[in-house]
């Protein structure tokens, strides 16, 4: 039986052998870089004020965009405005057959997204992205395929391919503001076309309601966050507001990482501050609080799905023992320098 | 210069002396080029490798010296460039498929030919599975498996928490395992062929 180690060994063995850079081109690139960096250095000394003004203008644009999104349309009271905005811009496709359920939907942004559907034995991946040249995509897919045909999907012509030597089928089409791709591994072209024929565009409420149980509905987020925090000691002044008010669709694992992470980050910030101030009582509070993380229900729930809990516990144990965490090549890494990246904490 | 300064020190001082940034280039250009060549082919690597260091110079103030080496950060810049560069995954697929071509070219030994046929089948399935991963999962997997970055280095490279690195890696491994599950026999032949070639 193939195990976890085997697939990594095989992948490492399949690492392509490459020739590396040609010496003369390397020297050319080096000269170009030197010329460029010298030129930039001169410009930056002259133009730092202008760059600051540009950065400020960019920041204002971003803030304006955030405000526009946050006050965007609402489709009833069930959904927060942010997620409605995402849903309104998404293609909102579902497979209209009762056996097909959405099993993964944790990677949305305003213009791109991925969802996985499953009927218990097969999976269908749906991806959408802003419009790209469909012809370029078609040309490339065709080069790797031994079936290239068309199918009508929701009134639009889609290009359908099967990767050579596999039962992996792909359909590509352009719809409104997106390029859409559907992939599935099924027995034959007819089965794939049947799936394509079952796709339906649904309204915002129907689409959001189809999210799997593991996806936390923004309308219940406050309650879920509160339940996740119930056994987590929080430092004085810790604000739950931002955690409770997030409006994005979140997979329960991802939300758990956000919630537990907020508490861990807050305690590690306190630990750093206490260390710097020589505040022994503050140190004890931070160490003691994080020592309980081994029993936090949300982390215990998450540990079978990913390794975020292990990273939390690694840091909790490291501050308790006043030691480093083990990083690259077995080297010890200072806690204060690494925990923001390791745990996704905002830089204090 | 190269012996006495860390990457972090070189990057910090490079604004006033571009030659110092060239020392970072000297240390890491070949590694970054090979990474890009593995993932996007030689032509793209030639185009993009210099771009990585140009962007690196522009963004040197964003480098956080968590690790002494700037390499994980440079891997991140290279990976971002790949995202923008690829018009489709097929280009990547073709680059990966060159592994197979390499097997055929190396087939001097008639006794190994049979194993290589199996090896090609496993290789094709494996690489097709890699190509089907989501971009985020694939980046993590290949930085870990091919570039041999550690979890924390991958996190730095991709600007994501280490826990996310581990989760993505788990998900990618499960996908590969599903593909390879029914190919144990072929896998054995594959490994045997590789040992014969590299041993």
């Amino acid at each position: 039986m193939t195990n976890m180690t085997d697939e990594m060994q095989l992948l490492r063995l399949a690492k392509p052998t490459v020739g590396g850079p040609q010496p003369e081109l390397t020297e050319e690139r080096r000269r170009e870089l030197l010329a460029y960096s010298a030129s930039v250095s001169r410009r930056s000394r002259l133009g730092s004020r202008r760059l600051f003004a540009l950065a400020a203008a960019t920041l204002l644009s971003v803030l304006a965009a955030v405000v526009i999104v946050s006050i965007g349309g609402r489709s009833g009271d069930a959904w927060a405005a942010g997620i409605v905005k995402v849903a309104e811009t998404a293609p909102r496709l579902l497979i209209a057959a009762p056996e097909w359920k959405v099993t993964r939907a944790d990677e949305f942004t305003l213009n791109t997204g991925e969802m996985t559907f499953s009927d218990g034995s097969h999976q269908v991946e749906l991806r959408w992205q802003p419009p790209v040249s469909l012809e370029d995509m078609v040309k490339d897919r065709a080069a790797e395929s031994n079936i290239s045909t068309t199918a009508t999907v929701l009134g639009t012509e889609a290009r359908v391919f099967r990767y050579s030597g596999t039962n992996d089928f792909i359909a590509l089409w352009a719809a409104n503001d997106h390029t859409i791709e559907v992939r599935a591994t099924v027995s034959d072209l007819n089965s794939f076309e049947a799936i394509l024929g079952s796709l339906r565009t649904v309204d915002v409420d129907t689409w959001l309601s189809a999210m799997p149980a593991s996806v936390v509905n923004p309308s219940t987020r406050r309650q879920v966050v509160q339940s996740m925090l119930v056994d987590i000691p929080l430092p004085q002044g810790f604000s739950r507001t931002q955690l409770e008010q997030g409006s994005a669709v979140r997979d329960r694992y991802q939300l758990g990482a956000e919630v537990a992470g907020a508490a861990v980050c807050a305690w590690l910030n306190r630990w750093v501050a206490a260390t710097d101030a020589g505040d022994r009582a503050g140190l004890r509070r931070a160490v003691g609080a994080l020592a309980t993380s081994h029993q936090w229900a949300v982390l215990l729930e998450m540990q079978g799905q990913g390794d975020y809990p292990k990273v939390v516990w690694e840091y909790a144990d490291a501050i308790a023992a006043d030691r480093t965490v083990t990083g690259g090549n077995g080297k010890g890494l200072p806690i204060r320098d690494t925990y923001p990246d390791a745990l996704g904490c905002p830089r204090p | 210069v190269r012996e006495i300064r860390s990457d972090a020190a070189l990057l910090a001082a490079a604004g006033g002396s571009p030659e110092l940034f060239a020392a970072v280039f000297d240390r890491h250009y070949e590694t970054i080029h090979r990474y890009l060549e593995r993932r996007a082919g030689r032509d793209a690597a030639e185009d993009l490798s210099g771009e990585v260091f140009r962007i690196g110079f522009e963004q040197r103030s964003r480098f956080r010296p968590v690790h002494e080496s700037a390499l994980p950060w440079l891997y991140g810049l290279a990976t971002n460039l790949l995202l923008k560069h690829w018009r489709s995954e097929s280009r990547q697929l073709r680059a990966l498929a060159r592994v197979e071509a390499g097997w055929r070219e190396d087939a001097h030994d008639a006794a190994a030919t049979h194993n290589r046929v199996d090896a090609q089948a496993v290789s094709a399935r494996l690489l097709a599975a890699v190509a089907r991963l989501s971009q985020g999962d694939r980046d993590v997997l290949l930085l870990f498996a091919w570039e041999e970055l550690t979890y924390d280095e991958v996190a730095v490279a991709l600007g994501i928490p280490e826990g996310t690195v581990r989760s993505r890696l788990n998900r990618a491994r499960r996908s590969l395992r599903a593909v390879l599950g029914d190919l144990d026999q072929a896998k054995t032949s594959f490994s045997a062929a590789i040992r014969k070639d590299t041993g």
Side-chain angles (χ1 to χ4, degrees), chain B residues 25-37:
Chain B
F25 175 96
D26 293 340
R27 285 178 185 173
H28 302 306
Y29 181 80
E30 180 170 346
T31 303
I32 293 297
H33 186 288
R34 287 179 179 276
Y35 170 61
L36 290 166
E37 189 175 350

Side-chain angles (χ1 to χ4, degrees), chain A residues 10-303:
Chain A
L10 285 172
L11 185 60
R12 288 191 169 113
L13 291 168
K15 177 179 173 178
T17 301
V18 294
Q22 298 173 41
E24 63 273 23
L25 284 175
T26 301
E27 189 51 40
E28 187 180 328
R29 296 285 176 268
R30 192 180 192 283
R31 280 198 303 271
E32 289 170 358
L33 177 68
L34 272 172
Y36 176 78
S37 53
S39 151
V40 168
S41 294
R42 281 195 300 274
R43 280 206 311 274
S44 66
R45 283 193 289 274
L46 294 171
S48 57
R49 284 190 179 184
R50 194 162 58 90
L51 285 173
F52 177 79
L54 181 63
T58 305
L59 177 61
L60 284 175
S61 301
V62 170
L63 288 173
V66 169
V67 170
I68 288 167
V69 169
S70 65
I71 63 174
R74 180 180 289 262
S75 172
D77 294 332
W79 310 105
I83 185 56
V84 170
K85 187 75 178 175
V86 171
E88 285 174 346
T89 61
R92 295 194 308 278
L93 297 179
L94 295 177
I95 300 177
E99 65 273 24
W100 285 96
K101 307 291 185 194
V102 181
T103 56
R104 183 178 74 91
D106 58 351
E107 296 190 26
F108 293 163
T109 67
L110 267 180
N111 294 306
T112 64
E114 296 183 9
M115 297 171 72
T116 303
F117 301 84
S118 175
D119 67 351
S121 54
H122 300 92
Q123 287 195 336
V124 173
E125 300 281 343
L126 168 69
R127 300 175 188 180
W128 61 95
Q129 59 181 313
V132 297
S133 167
L134 198 60
E135 281 314 303
D136 282 345
M137 294 178 75
V138 165
K139 189 175 169 185
D140 278 342
R141 300 296 194 278
E144 303 295 333
S145 307
N146 62 359
I147 285 184
S148 176
T149 182
T150 60
T152 300
V153 183
L154 301 166
T156 300
E157 182 180 89
R159 297 296 301 268
V160 176
F161 307 95
R162 183 177 74 182
Y163 280 129
S164 302
T166 74
N167 283 328
D168 299 333
F169 290 87
I170 294 175
L172 285 168
W173 70 95
N176 297 326
D177 298 326
H178 298 98
T179 299
I180 298 177
E181 180 167 4
V182 169
R183 298 161 169 247
T185 303
V186 290
S187 56
D188 54 35
L189 180 60
N190 287 340
S191 302
F192 187 61
E193 288 179 335
I195 290 170
L196 295 177
S198 301
L199 288 170
R200 297 288 182 272
T201 302
V202 299
D203 61 36
V204 168
D205 285 339
T206 305
W207 189 66
L208 291 174
S209 298
M211 296 301 157
S214 63
V215 170
V216 176
N217 180 329
S219 67
T220 61
R221 177 176 171 128
R222 184 176 182 188
Q223 183 186 345
V224 172
V225 168
Q226 287 175 348
S227 71
M228 288 176 168
L229 286 172
V230 73
D231 59 353
I232 299 179
L234 300 173
Q236 195 171 14
F238 181 90
S239 172
R240 302 163 179 248
T241 309
Q242 195 172 354
L243 288 172
E244 292 175 349
Q245 292 183 346
S247 59
V249 166
R250 299 292 274 167
D251 179 86
R252 192 174 163 84
Y253 179 93
Q254 300 296 341
L255 181 60
E258 192 176 332
V259 170
V264 174
C265 295
W267 278 119
L268 286 171
N269 291 346
R270 301 294 174 97
W271 178 82
V272 169
T275 302
D276 291 345
D279 173 5
R280 297 173 70 89
L283 273 175
R284 278 198 302 275
R285 278 195 297 275
V287 169
L290 288 182
T292 68
S293 64
H294 286 278
Q295 287 82 46
W296 295 355
V298 64
L299 294 181
L300 296 174
E301 173 192 326
M302 291 162 62
Q303 67 175 335

Side-chain angles (χ1 to χ4, degrees), chain B residues 36-51:
Chain B
L36 290 166
E37 189 175 350
R38 269 189 284 277
R39 295 200 58 180
R42 190 169 191 123
D43 291 345
E46 295 296 355
D47 290 343
L48 296 177
S49 299
E51 185 76 356

Side-chain angles (χ1 to χ4, degrees), chain A residues 2 8 10-11 15 18 20 30 36-37 41 107 127 140 144 163 168 183 253 307 333 341-342 347, chain B residues 15 18 26 34 37 42 58 64 88-90 94 132 146 152 161-162 166-167 171 173 184 190:
Chain A
T2 305
M8 292 306 286
L10 285 172
L11 185 60
K15 177 179 173 178
V18 294
R30 192 180 192 283
Y36 176 78
S37 53
S41 294
E107 296 190 26
R127 300 175 188 180
D140 278 342
E144 303 295 333
Y163 280 129
D168 299 333
R183 298 161 169 247
Y253 179 93
D307 288 344
L333 296 173
D341 285 326
R347 292 249 160 201
Chain B
D26 293 340
R34 287 179 179 276
E37 189 175 350
R42 190 169 191 123
E58 287 175 350
R64 293 200 296 265
S88 73
E89 73 176 336
S90 185
R94 284 198 289 274
R132 286 196 301 274
W146 284 357
D152 55 306
E162 189 178 326
R166 292 172 185 245
S167 300
R171 192 160 66 195
R173 282 174 149 181
D184 283 341
F190 180 50

